[in-house]
Protein backbone atom coordinates (compact mmCIF):
# COMPACT_ATOMS: atom_id res chain seq x y z
CA UNK A 1 0.00 0.00 0.00
CA UNK A 2 1.42 3.38 -1.03
CA UNK A 3 2.15 5.71 1.91
CA UNK A 4 2.68 9.08 0.25
CA UNK A 5 0.40 11.07 2.56
CA UNK A 6 0.45 9.51 6.04
CA UNK A 7 4.18 9.92 7.00
CA UNK A 8 4.32 13.63 6.04
CA UNK A 9 1.11 14.26 7.99
CA UNK A 10 2.66 12.66 11.09
CA UNK A 11 5.84 14.71 10.73
CA UNK A 12 3.84 17.91 10.31
CA UNK A 13 1.71 17.14 13.37
CA UNK A 14 4.77 16.38 15.51
CA UNK A 15 6.44 19.62 14.39
CA UNK A 16 3.31 21.59 15.26
CA UNK A 17 3.04 19.94 18.68
CA UNK A 18 6.67 20.82 19.36
CA UNK A 19 6.11 24.44 18.30
CA UNK A 20 3.10 24.66 20.62
CA UNK A 21 5.05 22.99 23.42
CA UNK A 22 2.46 20.24 23.80
CA UNK A 23 3.90 17.76 26.28
CA UNK A 24 3.10 14.08 26.20
CA UNK A 25 2.77 11.33 28.75
CA UNK A 26 2.63 8.13 26.74
CA UNK A 27 2.52 4.74 28.43
CA UNK A 28 2.01 1.17 27.24
CA UNK A 29 3.12 1.60 23.63
CA UNK A 30 4.92 -1.74 23.86
CA UNK A 31 1.43 -3.31 23.91
CA UNK A 32 0.82 -2.28 20.31
CA UNK A 33 1.60 -5.29 18.06
CA UNK A 34 4.60 -4.65 15.82
CA UNK A 35 3.20 -6.92 13.15
CA UNK A 36 -0.21 -8.24 12.18
CA UNK A 37 -3.68 -6.87 12.56
CA UNK A 38 -5.26 -5.38 15.68
CA UNK A 39 -8.30 -3.33 16.65
CA UNK A 40 -7.30 -0.21 18.58
CA UNK A 41 -10.28 1.04 20.61
CA UNK A 42 -10.07 4.59 21.97
CA UNK A 43 -12.23 6.80 24.12
CA UNK A 44 -13.49 9.95 22.39
CA UNK A 45 -13.08 13.40 23.95
CA UNK A 46 -12.16 15.63 20.99
CA UNK A 47 -12.14 16.07 17.24
CA UNK A 48 -8.38 15.48 17.30
CA UNK A 49 -8.39 12.06 18.96
CA UNK A 50 -7.46 10.16 15.82
CA UNK A 51 -4.18 12.11 15.66
CA UNK A 52 -3.19 11.32 19.23
CA UNK A 53 -4.46 7.73 19.16
CA UNK A 54 -2.39 7.21 16.04
CA UNK A 55 0.70 8.47 17.85
CA UNK A 56 0.37 5.59 20.32
CA UNK A 57 1.29 3.21 17.50
CA UNK A 58 4.16 5.36 16.23
CA UNK A 59 6.86 3.80 18.47
CA UNK A 60 5.92 0.37 17.08
CA UNK A 61 6.35 1.68 13.55
CA UNK A 62 2.66 1.16 12.79
CA UNK A 63 0.09 3.31 10.99
CA UNK A 64 -3.50 3.15 12.21
CA UNK A 65 -6.42 3.15 9.77
CA UNK A 66 -9.28 4.86 11.55
CA UNK A 67 -12.96 4.30 10.92
CA UNK A 68 -14.51 7.78 10.66
CA UNK A 69 -17.86 9.16 9.64
CA UNK A 70 -18.39 9.63 5.93
CA UNK A 71 -18.97 13.38 6.27
CA UNK A 72 -15.28 13.94 7.03
CA UNK A 73 -14.35 12.31 3.74
CA UNK A 74 -16.79 14.62 1.97
CA UNK A 75 -14.90 17.69 3.21
CA UNK A 76 -12.83 19.23 0.42
CA UNK A 77 -9.79 19.69 2.69
CA UNK A 78 -9.96 16.75 5.10
CA UNK A 79 -11.35 14.30 2.56
CA UNK A 80 -8.26 13.95 0.35
CA UNK A 81 -6.06 13.61 3.45
CA UNK A 82 -8.29 10.93 4.96
CA UNK A 83 -8.35 8.97 1.73
CA UNK A 84 -4.60 9.43 1.26
CA UNK A 85 -4.01 7.96 4.72
CA UNK A 86 -6.30 5.03 3.82
CA UNK A 87 -8.74 5.64 6.64
CA UNK A 88 -12.15 3.99 6.30
CA UNK A 89 -15.35 6.01 5.78
CA UNK A 90 -18.40 4.95 7.78
CA UNK A 91 -21.88 5.57 6.46
CA UNK A 92 -24.09 5.06 9.49
CA UNK A 93 -27.04 4.17 7.28
CA UNK A 94 -25.05 1.56 5.34
CA UNK A 95 -22.43 0.24 7.72
CA UNK A 96 -21.90 -3.16 6.10
CA UNK A 97 -19.47 -1.87 3.48
CA UNK A 98 -17.26 -0.10 6.03
CA UNK A 99 -17.21 -3.19 8.24
CA UNK A 100 -16.21 -5.30 5.26
CA UNK A 101 -13.41 -2.85 4.36
CA UNK A 102 -12.14 -2.83 7.95
CA UNK A 103 -12.18 -6.62 8.17
CA UNK A 104 -10.22 -6.91 4.93
CA UNK A 105 -7.64 -4.45 6.28
CA UNK A 106 -7.33 -6.47 9.49
CA UNK A 107 -6.73 -9.66 7.54
CA UNK A 108 -4.10 -7.79 5.52
CA UNK A 109 -2.26 -7.08 8.77
CA UNK A 110 -3.40 -3.50 9.37
CA UNK A 111 -4.29 -1.84 12.69
CA UNK A 112 -7.85 -0.49 12.64
CA UNK A 113 -8.73 2.41 14.94
CA UNK A 114 -12.25 2.53 16.38
CA UNK A 115 -14.05 5.07 18.56
CA UNK A 116 -16.53 2.66 20.08
CA UNK A 117 -18.58 5.44 21.71
CA UNK A 118 -19.38 6.59 18.12
CA UNK A 119 -19.54 10.26 19.10
CA UNK A 120 -17.56 12.57 21.39
CA UNK A 121 -18.41 12.22 25.07
CA UNK A 122 -19.65 15.57 26.34
CA UNK A 123 -19.16 14.39 29.93
CA UNK A 124 -15.60 13.26 29.11
CA UNK A 125 -16.42 9.96 30.81
CA UNK A 126 -16.62 6.81 28.69
CA UNK A 127 -20.11 6.39 27.26
CA UNK A 128 -21.86 3.10 26.58
CA UNK A 129 -20.28 1.18 23.73
CA UNK A 130 -21.60 -1.44 21.36
CA UNK A 131 -20.09 -4.81 20.53
CA UNK A 132 -18.94 -3.93 17.00
CA UNK A 133 -15.24 -3.63 17.90
CA UNK A 134 -15.31 -6.98 19.70
CA UNK A 135 -17.04 -8.71 16.80
CA UNK A 136 -14.54 -7.21 14.38
CA UNK A 137 -11.59 -8.47 16.42
CA UNK A 138 -13.12 -11.94 16.60
CA UNK A 139 -13.88 -12.05 12.87
CA UNK A 140 -10.36 -10.86 12.05
CA UNK A 141 -8.75 -13.14 14.67
CA UNK A 142 -6.77 -10.19 16.05
CA UNK A 143 -6.24 -8.65 19.49
CA UNK A 144 -8.32 -5.80 20.85
CA UNK A 145 -6.20 -2.98 22.36
CA UNK A 146 -7.90 -0.37 24.61
CA UNK A 147 -6.44 3.13 24.65
CA UNK A 148 -7.37 6.31 26.47
CA UNK A 149 -6.55 9.91 25.56
CA UNK A 150 -6.86 12.92 27.82
CA UNK A 151 -6.09 16.58 27.18
CA UNK A 152 -7.03 17.19 23.51
CA UNK A 153 -10.53 18.30 24.54
CA UNK A 154 -8.88 21.54 25.61
CA UNK A 155 -7.94 22.17 21.97
CA UNK A 156 -11.16 21.26 20.16
CA UNK A 157 -14.23 19.42 21.34
CA UNK A 158 -17.97 19.38 20.84
CA UNK A 159 -19.73 22.59 21.83
CA UNK A 160 -16.53 24.62 22.39
CA UNK A 161 -14.58 27.00 20.20
CA UNK A 162 -11.44 25.63 18.59
CA UNK A 163 -8.19 26.50 20.35
CA UNK A 164 -5.86 24.71 17.98
CA UNK A 165 -2.97 27.09 18.63
CA UNK A 166 -3.21 26.95 22.42
CA UNK A 167 0.23 26.38 23.90
CA UNK A 168 1.53 24.22 26.76
CA UNK A 169 -1.33 21.70 26.84
CA UNK A 170 -0.34 18.33 28.33
CA UNK A 171 -1.69 15.26 26.54
CA UNK A 172 -1.92 11.82 28.14
CA UNK A 173 -2.05 8.64 26.05
CA UNK A 174 -2.41 5.35 27.93
CA UNK A 175 -2.45 1.96 26.18
CA UNK A 176 -4.05 -0.91 28.08
CA UNK A 177 -3.45 -4.63 28.07
CA UNK A 178 -4.63 -6.33 24.86
CA UNK A 179 -7.74 -8.48 24.95
CA UNK A 180 -8.12 -11.66 22.90
CA UNK A 181 -11.83 -12.34 22.34
CA UNK A 182 -12.67 -15.46 20.39
CA UNK A 183 -15.61 -17.00 18.64
CA UNK A 184 -18.05 -18.48 21.13
CA UNK A 185 -17.44 -15.79 23.76
CA UNK A 186 -20.34 -13.76 25.13
CA UNK A 187 -19.72 -10.60 23.09
CA UNK A 188 -21.82 -8.45 25.40
CA UNK A 189 -19.74 -9.48 28.41
CA UNK A 190 -16.49 -8.91 26.52
CA UNK A 191 -17.80 -5.46 25.55
CA UNK A 192 -18.57 -4.73 29.20
CA UNK A 193 -15.00 -5.70 30.08
CA UNK A 194 -13.68 -3.46 27.30
CA UNK A 195 -15.79 -0.58 28.62
CA UNK A 196 -14.49 -1.19 32.14
CA UNK A 197 -10.87 -1.12 30.94
CA UNK A 198 -11.42 2.08 28.96
CA UNK A 199 -13.12 3.71 31.95
CA UNK A 200 -10.31 2.64 34.28
CA UNK A 201 -7.66 4.03 31.94
CA UNK A 202 -9.64 7.25 31.51
CA UNK A 203 -9.97 7.77 35.26
CA UNK A 204 -6.25 7.14 35.71
CA UNK A 205 -5.43 9.69 33.01
CA UNK A 206 -7.83 12.25 34.48
CA UNK A 207 -6.79 11.88 38.12
CA UNK A 208 -3.07 11.94 37.28
CA UNK A 209 -3.25 14.78 34.76
CA UNK A 210 -0.52 17.33 35.59
CA UNK A 211 -2.80 20.39 35.49
CA UNK A 212 -6.03 21.48 37.13
CA UNK A 213 -8.38 23.94 35.43
CA UNK A 214 -7.90 27.64 36.02
CA UNK A 215 -10.87 29.60 37.44
CA UNK A 216 -13.59 29.79 34.80
CA UNK A 217 -11.90 27.10 32.71
CA UNK A 218 -13.21 23.99 34.45
CA UNK A 219 -15.46 23.06 31.50
CA UNK A 220 -12.87 20.47 30.38
CA UNK A 221 -12.87 18.70 33.74
CA UNK A 222 -15.44 15.90 34.32
CA UNK A 223 -18.13 16.55 36.90
CA UNK A 224 -16.98 13.75 39.20
CA UNK A 225 -13.68 15.63 39.65
CA UNK A 226 -15.45 18.91 40.37
CA UNK A 227 -15.47 20.23 36.82
CA UNK A 228 -18.41 21.85 35.04
CA UNK A 229 -18.63 19.34 32.19
CA UNK A 230 -22.10 17.77 31.94
CA UNK A 231 -22.74 14.66 33.99
CA UNK A 232 -23.19 11.45 31.94
CA UNK A 233 -26.98 11.77 32.35
CA UNK A 234 -26.96 15.41 31.25
CA UNK A 235 -24.69 14.57 28.32
CA UNK A 236 -27.01 11.75 27.23
CA UNK A 237 -29.94 14.17 27.18
CA UNK A 238 -27.95 16.66 25.07
CA UNK A 239 -27.05 13.85 22.67
CA UNK A 240 -30.70 12.80 22.45
CA UNK A 241 -31.81 16.32 21.56
CA UNK A 242 -29.06 16.68 18.99
CA UNK A 243 -30.04 13.36 17.40
CA UNK A 244 -33.68 14.42 17.18
CA UNK A 245 -32.73 17.77 15.63
CA UNK A 246 -30.47 16.03 13.11
CA UNK A 247 -33.27 13.61 12.18
CA UNK A 248 -35.71 16.51 11.76
CA UNK A 249 -33.30 18.36 9.46
CA UNK A 250 -32.74 15.21 7.40
CA UNK A 251 -36.48 14.65 7.08
CA UNK A 252 -36.96 18.27 6.00
CA UNK A 253 -34.26 17.94 3.33
CA UNK A 254 -35.78 14.72 2.03
CA UNK A 255 -39.24 16.27 1.94
CA UNK A 256 -37.91 19.31 0.09
CA UNK A 257 -36.10 17.10 -2.42
CA UNK A 258 -39.21 15.00 -2.94
CA UNK A 259 -41.27 18.14 -3.48
CA UNK A 260 -38.76 19.51 -5.98
CA UNK A 261 -38.78 16.23 -7.90
CA UNK A 262 -42.58 16.21 -7.94
CA UNK A 263 -42.72 19.80 -9.21
CA UNK A 264 -40.16 18.98 -11.90
CA UNK A 265 -42.15 15.94 -13.00
CA UNK A 266 -45.41 17.91 -13.12
CA UNK A 267 -43.70 20.64 -15.09
CA UNK A 268 -42.39 18.11 -17.57
CA UNK A 269 -45.85 16.56 -17.97
CA UNK A 270 -47.40 19.99 -18.50
CA UNK A 271 -44.82 20.84 -21.16
CA UNK A 272 -45.44 17.54 -22.90
CA UNK A 273 -49.19 18.12 -22.82
Amino acid sequence: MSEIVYPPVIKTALALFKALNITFRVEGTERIPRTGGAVLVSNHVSYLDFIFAGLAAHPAGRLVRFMAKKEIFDNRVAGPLMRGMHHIPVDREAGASSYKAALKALKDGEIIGVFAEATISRSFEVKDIKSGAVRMAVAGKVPLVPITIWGPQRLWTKGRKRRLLQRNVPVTILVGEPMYPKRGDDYDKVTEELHARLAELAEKAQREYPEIPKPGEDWWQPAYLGGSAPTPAEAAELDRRESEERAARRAAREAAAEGANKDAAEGKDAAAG
Side-chain angles (χ1 to χ4, degrees):
M1 185 181 295
S2 175
E3 299 296 351
I4 299 174
V5 177
Y6 215 147
V9 168
I10 292 175
K11 289 182 180 179
T12 300
L14 290 174
L16 179 59
F17 297 154
K18 184 176 181 179
L20 294 175
N21 197 34
I22 291 179
T23 56
F24 290 92
R25 171 193 174 189
V26 186
E27 296 181 3
T29 58
E30 71 280 358
R31 294 166 176 161
I32 303 290
R34 292 189 172 272
T35 59
V39 178
L40 190 71
V41 185
S42 175
N43 67 326
H44 205 2
V45 296
S46 84
Y47 291 109
L48 305 173
D49 291 341
F50 72 97
I51 298 175
F52 295 102
L55 289 180
H58 193 58
R62 305 300 304 275
L63 299 175
V64 182
R65 316 298 176 181
F66 285 95
M67 301 184 73
K69 61 183 181 180
K70 175 180 173 292
E71 289 78 2
I72 299 177
F73 291 79
D74 294 336
N75 183 279
R76 65 179 184 178
V77 176
L81 290 174
M82 295 294 282
R83 287 188 289 273
M85 290 185 280
H86 307 293
H87 295 313
I88 300 171
V90 177
D91 185 341
R92 291 174 182 169
E93 295 182 5
S97 61
S98 57
Y99 180 87
K100 183 178 179 181
L103 191 56
K104 181 182 183 304
L106 285 174
K107 292 181 178 180
D108 287 343
E110 299 282 359
I111 294 181
I112 297 299
V114 175
F115 297 104
E117 298 166 272
T119 58
I120 290 173
S121 171
R122 300 173 191 263
S123 71
F124 305 130
E125 297 183 49
V126 181
K127 300 194 298 184
D128 289 341
I129 63 178
K130 295 184 179 180
S131 61
V134 173
R135 294 177 184 275
M136 190 184 301
V138 171
K141 299 179 181 179
V142 299
L144 195 65
V145 184
I147 177 174
T148 287
I149 303 163
W150 187 246
Q153 76 276 13
R154 298 174 61 183
L155 301 173
W156 189 15
T157 193
K158 182 176 286 188
R160 309 295 305 191
K161 290 183 178 180
R162 284 177 287 185
R163 297 180 174 184
L164 297 178
L165 298 181
Q166 184 175 350
R167 296 177 55 81
N168 307 316
V169 173
V171 171
T172 300
I173 304 171
L174 304 180
V175 182
E177 291 284 352
M179 301 171 64
Y180 298 90
K182 61 185 183 299
R183 198 172 300 277
D185 287 348
D186 184 325
Y187 295 159
D188 289 336
K189 287 186 177 179
V190 177
T191 301
E192 289 175 6
E193 174 63 22
L194 174 60
H195 183 278
R197 294 195 187 194
L198 286 170
E200 182 180 2
L201 286 170
E203 182 171 354
K204 176 180 174 66
Q206 291 162 358
R207 289 190 181 278
E208 297 177 1
Y209 193 65
E211 289 189 8
I212 59 174
K214 296 177 181 178
E217 286 288 317
D218 63 350
W219 60 265
W220 56 264
Q221 187 83 306
Y224 84 93
L225 287 179
S228 60
T231 65
E234 291 168 342
E237 176 61 18
L238 290 171
D239 286 345
R240 184 190 65 78
R241 293 179 187 174
E242 182 183 62
S243 179
E244 288 181 351
E245 290 170 0
R246 188 186 302 115
R249 289 194 298 269
R250 183 169 58 249
R253 287 196 302 269
E254 291 173 352
E258 183 178 349
N261 291 336
K262 182 178 180 182
D263 290 344
E266 290 176 350
K268 185 177 180 181
D269 291 342

